[in-house]
Amino acid sequence: MASRNRRYTVNEIILMLEDEGNFERADIHVQPPPVDELTDEDSASEDEEVGYNNLSGRQLDQQATATVIRLDGRHVVDSAPDSDLVTPRPKRPAPVKRKWENKDLPEQDKDRFTWHGSNIDKSRWPQTPDGIFNLFFDDDVINMIVEQSIRYAGSKGNHSFSTSPQEIRIFLAILLISGYNTVPRRRQFWSRDDDVRNEAIARTMPRDRYDILVR
């Protein structure tokens, strides 16, 4: 970092600390203004903890130093050239202006954007919705959901919770159905009222068991 002829302002130190982020605590010490300079009061009372959101524009432009507490010790940030925080964030570069043209691709480039899949054997591709779904949620993914669900329940104090891959697949199916068969409350799928009850869901999983899984 290049040497500076003045101290950083409060605003510059805040920007550097936000970019750095790798510290436990930072105390910003604002230099007092000249005696004959009028100052602004903060918007908080004297009994409240003041954050930088309470500072006025004049106070943000005041010169300051910062004491940064990290795992490797205490660091003072001021105008010294060996300050180990990053420099203030640079200005965002101007966006690149692109000129788009509405025309066909040149003959020499057409082959790059042509799908050559006509000779692929599609007979082994899944032909059913659940087969396509299983391409994304295969056994490894389902088993991971089972394992993480049990681990999460244990972290919440429910050490007796258990589930299975089959139950997780049913649970995911209920979530998919609820995406297009919407009701005011999802528990109404198990209602006795014919206008909201979903017989496929109600017969597949008890409502109370669903409530446990959805937690």
Side-chain angles (χ1 to χ4, degrees):
M1 184 182 299
S3 176
R4 302 174 64 123
N5 296 325
R6 60 173 179 82
R7 294 185 184 276
Y8 293 118
T9 65
V10 175
N11 188 55
E12 287 173 330
I13 290 179
I14 290 173
L15 291 177
M16 288 191 289
L17 292 174
E18 288 179 344
D19 283 341
E20 169 69 10
N22 187 24
F23 59 89
E24 296 182 350
R25 173 182 169 184
D27 297 323
I28 299 178
H29 309 278
V30 182
Q31 301 296 314
V35 177
D36 57 348
E37 182 178 326
L38 296 177
T39 60
D40 298 326
E41 296 181 356
D42 1 284
S43 56
S45 67
E46 294 182 357
D47 296 331
E48 296 178 359
E49 183 178 351
V50 179
Y52 63 83
N53 290 325
N54 302 104
L55 301 179
S56 65
R58 184 188 297 270
Q59 290 168 324
L60 288 172
D61 288 336
Q62 202 68 35
Q63 295 184 358
T65 60
T67 302
V68 183
I69 309 299
R70 293 204 190 100
L71 294 177
D72 58 348
R74 181 188 303 264
H75 303 266
V76 176
V77 181
D78 52 17
S79 58
D82 59 348
S83 175
D84 53 358
L85 281 183
V86 297
T87 57
R89 62 186 69 173
K91 293 183 178 180
R92 183 175 299 176
V96 178
K97 295 183 178 180
R98 303 183 186 278
K99 183 179 180 181
W100 299 96
E101 298 180 357
N102 185 12
K103 63 180 183 179
D104 293 334
L105 289 173
E107 288 295 331
Q108 63 269 21
D109 291 336
K110 286 186 176 180
D111 190 62
R112 297 170 52 197
F113 301 97
T114 302
W115 168 249
H116 299 285
S118 58
N119 297 326
I120 296 178
D121 181 13
K122 300 179 181 179
S123 61
R124 301 179 60 183
W125 289 14
Q127 303 297 320
T128 60
D130 63 319
I132 296 174
F133 178 81
N134 290 334
L135 288 177
F136 299 92
F137 286 81
D138 59 10
D139 291 341
D140 291 338
V141 173
I142 297 298
N143 289 332
M144 182 190 68
I145 295 175
V146 170
E147 178 185 348
Q148 296 301 322
S149 298
I150 295 174
R151 182 175 299 178
Y152 177 79
S155 69
K156 297 298 181 180
N158 186 2
H159 301 288
S160 61
F161 173 83
S162 64
T163 185
S164 65
Q166 179 64 20
E167 187 176 55
I168 291 297
R169 290 186 182 277
I170 294 173
F171 176 75
L172 292 175
I174 294 174
L175 294 181
L176 290 174
I177 292 174
S178 66
Y180 63 85
N181 183 13
T182 57
V183 290
R185 294 182 300 277
R186 199 170 288 169
R187 290 168 62 93
Q188 290 181 316
F189 286 137
W190 291 267
S191 172
R192 296 181 182 273
D193 299 329
D194 293 338
D195 59 336
V196 292
R197 179 180 177 85
N198 188 298
E199 195 64 36
I201 292 177
R203 286 183 303 165
T204 304
M205 178 178 289
R207 185 193 65 188
D208 292 344
R209 182 57 182 173
Y210 173 84
D211 288 341
I212 292 175
L213 290 174
V214 81
R215 294 174 188 167

